[in-house]
Amino acid sequence: MKNRLLFVLAVIATAALTGCAGTNFVRPAEGEIVVGKSAPAEVTKKMGDPWQSGELLKNEQNLKVAKYAYAATGGASAYPGVVPARAITFAFFNDKLVGQEFSSSFKEDLTDFDSNKVSQLVKGKTTKKEVVELFGKPTGEAIYPVIKGAKDYAYSYTYAQAKGSAFNMKFYSKSLVVSFNDAGIVSDVEYTASGDQ
């Protein structure tokens, strides 16, 4: 969800100007909020009111989106000079959660991943287990219509950061979405990266 990465970077920029932005939150534990099952009310009950809400058009379907974000210039970042920030986005279709993505540059829940390994993913061959061995536990999950395949399931890995001063901020983001067929074999790979590291 490219728009989510832009949102994270905007929050980081706000933090750089003000010292902090958004409301701090804890990423839900595995199983607390479930793609394909959870309703918007369940997410709000667990997370509180979103920092921002909106809509997103994906695969010709209109999705409702709830975004939560927090950045603080005084926090502990995983990398020197990077503004520590975290964000999570939930996407809903027909009142059901169809995607969630988490990104963090905080030291304690960093979501950076080794993009040099993307070339090792082979459509029709690489398994779900092998993806986890390469990149670790996914930072997001999605089903149609967030992804193209109506019967597929996807893992996502997302990272965004900002470095520098409020008036000379450099942004960098990357996102990997790996879709699997019902046999757990990779059916699609989408990787994007932009900005200055």
Side-chain angles (χ1 to χ4, degrees):
M1 287 185 262
K2 185 179 178 183
N3 290 345
R4 197 202 60 72
L5 288 175
L6 297 175
F7 167 73
V8 172
L9 297 176
V11 170
I12 293 170
T14 302
L17 292 170
T18 64
C20 69
T23 302
N24 202 1
F25 66 91
V26 175
R27 182 182 181 190
E30 192 171 334
E32 286 185 318
I33 296 174
V34 182
V35 169
K37 294 183 180 179
S38 296
E42 294 174 67
V43 172
T44 304
K45 183 178 180 182
K46 172 65 184 171
M47 300 293 297
D49 291 329
W51 198 63
Q52 189 179 66
S53 301
E55 295 183 358
L56 174 67
L57 185 67
K58 279 295 263 187
N59 295 306
E60 301 178 8
Q61 301 294 340
N62 194 33
L63 311 180
K64 302 287 185 187
V65 179
K67 303 173 182 180
Y68 299 81
Y70 176 71
T73 54
S77 175
Y79 304 121
V82 172
V83 177
R86 69 174 55 94
I88 191 166
T89 300
F90 299 96
F92 303 95
F93 180 63
N94 292 336
D95 287 326
K96 181 174 69 176
L97 183 66
V98 292
Q100 63 177 328
E101 279 188 330
F102 176 74
S103 175
S104 176
S105 59
F106 276 95
K107 188 174 184 178
E108 65 266 23
D109 54 10
L110 180 69
T111 61
D112 196 5
F113 62 94
D114 188 353
S115 55
N116 294 320
K117 295 180 179 179
V118 173
S119 62
Q120 295 180 43
L121 299 173
V122 181
K123 293 180 191 179
K125 184 177 178 185
T126 307
T127 66
K128 191 181 287 189
K129 181 183 176 188
E130 289 170 331
V131 170
V132 173
E133 287 171 357
L134 284 169
F135 300 101
K137 182 180 174 183
T139 60
E141 300 169 287
I143 58 175
Y144 177 85
V146 173
I147 59 173
K148 292 178 263 187
K151 295 183 178 180
D152 288 357
Y153 188 89
Y155 283 167
S156 63
Y157 298 85
T158 308
Y159 177 69
Q161 73 174 35
K163 283 176 104 174
S165 67
F167 303 104
N168 186 24
M169 191 70 64
K170 291 184 179 180
F171 297 103
Y172 174 73
S173 65
K174 59 184 176 179
S175 176
L176 172 65
V177 179
V178 184
S179 297
F180 304 95
N181 60 24
D182 56 6
I185 305 298
V186 171
S187 59
D188 195 32
V189 177
E190 294 179 36
Y191 175 72
T192 58
S194 63
D196 298 315
Q197 212 169 359

